[in-house]
Amino acid sequence: AWSEPRPFDPVVNSLPMHWQFSIDRAGNVYTSADNIFCARLENGKYLAPERLPAPINEVHTEKDKYGAGEIGPFISPDGDYLIFSKLQAGMRLFISFRKNDGTWTEPRDLSEKLQTEGNDSMAKVSPDGKYIFFQSDRRGSGASRGLYWVDARIIDSLKPKD
């Protein structure tokens, strides 16, 4: 039987809203509220969510508030890449890879590889790592935001060559 829903850790829920969340194998929670945040799990307790630095999040002015931002994170199980949506004259999917020093690479436009002219968002990688699922309003979807999938090998094609 299902249990009753319970609120998640109050430290993680301290952000005013959560568009989507993703959890890596270490238990770190990535979420978004116009920017992407990470609440790290250390010694069994969550630390306050921290806004990821550039190049993941950009600085936005108050007038940009509803027309720009980074949302919808998906962190890989190992935490070695992050897929997210950027709102900037539409919505596009981007991917960034974690470097050995813990910083992130410059985000690459994943929507370009998806060959879309529409708005793409809310990407997830299947548990076996073979497919990327995402929403798109591209023509012919039959819905205002249809669901699509692609082979996840495109992730490797965007990974920086060391």
Side-chain angles (χ1 to χ4, degrees), residues 56 80-82 84 94-98 104-108:
I56 302 296
D80 58 343
Y81 66 85
L82 178 71
F84 58 99
F94 285 80
I95 186 168
S96 185
F97 297 88
R98 192 185 305 268
W104 294 95
T105 63
E106 195 65 36
R108 304 275 310 267

Side-chain angles (χ1 to χ4, degrees), residues 93 113-114 123-126 130-136 138 146-154:
L93 288 171
K113 286 279 190 184
L114 300 175
K124 299 277 190 232
V125 177
S126 61
K130 292 181 179 179
Y131 307 101
I132 301 171
F133 296 88
F134 63 99
Q135 291 180 342
S136 182
R138 62 182 63 199
L147 301 177
Y148 291 84
W149 65 274
V150 296
D151 190 306
R153 285 183 285 192
I154 64 173

